[in-house]
Amino acid sequence: MRNSMSLTDSDFLRYSRQVLLPEVGEKGQITIAKSHVVIIGVGGLGNLVAQQLAAAGVGHITLIDGDRVELSNLPRQLLFNDTDIGKNKALVAKEKLSRAYTQTKLIEVSEHLTQANISQVLTVDGHYDLLLDCTDNFETRQRVNRVAIESCTPLISASAAHFHGQLLNIDQQHNPQSGCYHCLFPADMAVSQTCQTVGILGPMVAAMASMQALMALQHLLGDRQSVGKLFRFDGKSFSWREARLPRSSDCVICGQKQGPLGRELGSSKFTSTEKEYV
Ligand SMILES: [Zn+2]
């Protein structure tokens, strides 16, 4: 990019199909290039989300994962191959994406997010516009949600297991009446389904990763239609369900910040307005 106000000729060519969209245009492409997205978890979801965002021209991506590549990851985690087994996922993904997408600045954090390091890790590289939860464990999801609420940073959380996928857009700055991950899943609630326990097909993960990346780009471009909504995909019937997630007055993460209006809305449950798509 020549400067912050215009695209180079090469950028115009590279991103021509997305610049063609009225929702993007040159201004939107520059916004994408100036954005910093943090991806927590570089497994099945994180692999594909990171690649799609780098390919779309996101200027700054931080990849966080303490796991190492295993043989059983390869059918879903398409950035990795046999020679990567045993290496840190965030580091391998960063090296490969940096070679393929030179316009994107990639930073890797090769450790798990813990209660002890999360504040430091998420401030290590300055301001960020969007958090993407691509993890596979409940504790980290709760941790990321808490940081997102406390730091007033938008968060898009995705998950996939068996033939079920889920997507949740959390942005209480934009929609103070909407809930957070903890409103939906209180921390003491048991969540048993993971890829390790119930299995998954690669394209099921890829479908949810693509939706998360699409939602992320729209969010960066200022489209907030999906904020405060929970989307569920059934990979057998190929149907989507959508529900509003209201802020819960009982939520220990976001409930205490509620004003009078939030308290009123918090009494309803998340199944209030459910739509079904086929
Ligand atoms: Zn909440």
Side-chain angles (χ1 to χ4, degrees), residues 39-211:
I39 298 175
I40 302 123
V42 193
L45 290 166
N47 253 247
L48 293 161
V49 169
Q51 184 168 19
Q52 294 199 51
L53 294 187
V58 171
H60 193 167
I61 298 175
T62 298
L63 301 166
I64 303 174
D65 203 318
D67 278 345
R68 294 179 181 278
V69 180
E70 297 176 14
L71 183 60
S72 63
N73 299 148
L74 303 187
R76 299 171 306 288
Q77 301 179 20
L78 307 184
L79 286 175
F80 307 144
N81 56 42
D82 292 79
T83 61
D84 300 318
I85 290 171
K87 297 177 185 170
N88 175 265
K89 290 184 179 182
L91 182 61
V92 175
K94 179 228 169 174
E95 287 174 350
K96 294 192 179 181
L97 292 172
S98 295
R99 281 198 293 274
Y101 307 102
T102 53
Q103 71 281 21
T104 300
K105 177 186 176 190
L106 286 132
I107 305 287
E108 97 281 5
V109 177
S110 306
E111 54 186 307
H112 293 295
L113 278 187
T114 64
Q115 200 56 44
N117 71 6
I118 190 165
S119 306
Q120 188 230 330
V121 165
L122 286 177
T123 52
V124 100
D125 211 24
H127 169 80
Y128 38 87
D129 301 288
L130 183 60
L131 292 172
L132 298 180
D133 176 1
C134 300
T135 58
D136 60 358
N137 76 83
F138 189 58
E139 290 74 23
T140 308
R141 287 187 187 284
Q142 293 286 0
R143 228 167 259 147
V144 172
N145 177 66
R146 177 186 285 270
V147 164
I149 298 299
E150 288 176 355
S151 64
C152 300
T153 307
L155 165 67
I156 297 174
S157 176
S159 63
H162 196 238
F163 288 92
H164 305 294
Q166 182 174 292
L167 205 52
L168 179 62
N169 189 335
I170 300 159
D171 184 355
Q172 294 184 338
Q173 285 295 99
H174 178 77
N175 183 355
Q177 301 163 0
S178 60
C180 75
Y181 187 80
H182 191 277
C183 292
L184 182 63
F185 295 117
D188 56 355
M189 184 176 166
V191 174
S192 56
Q193 290 210 333
T194 69
C195 298
Q196 284 136 353
T197 58
V198 296
I200 193 149
L201 288 170
M204 183 68 211
V205 183
M208 297 314 298
S210 291
M211 289 296 149

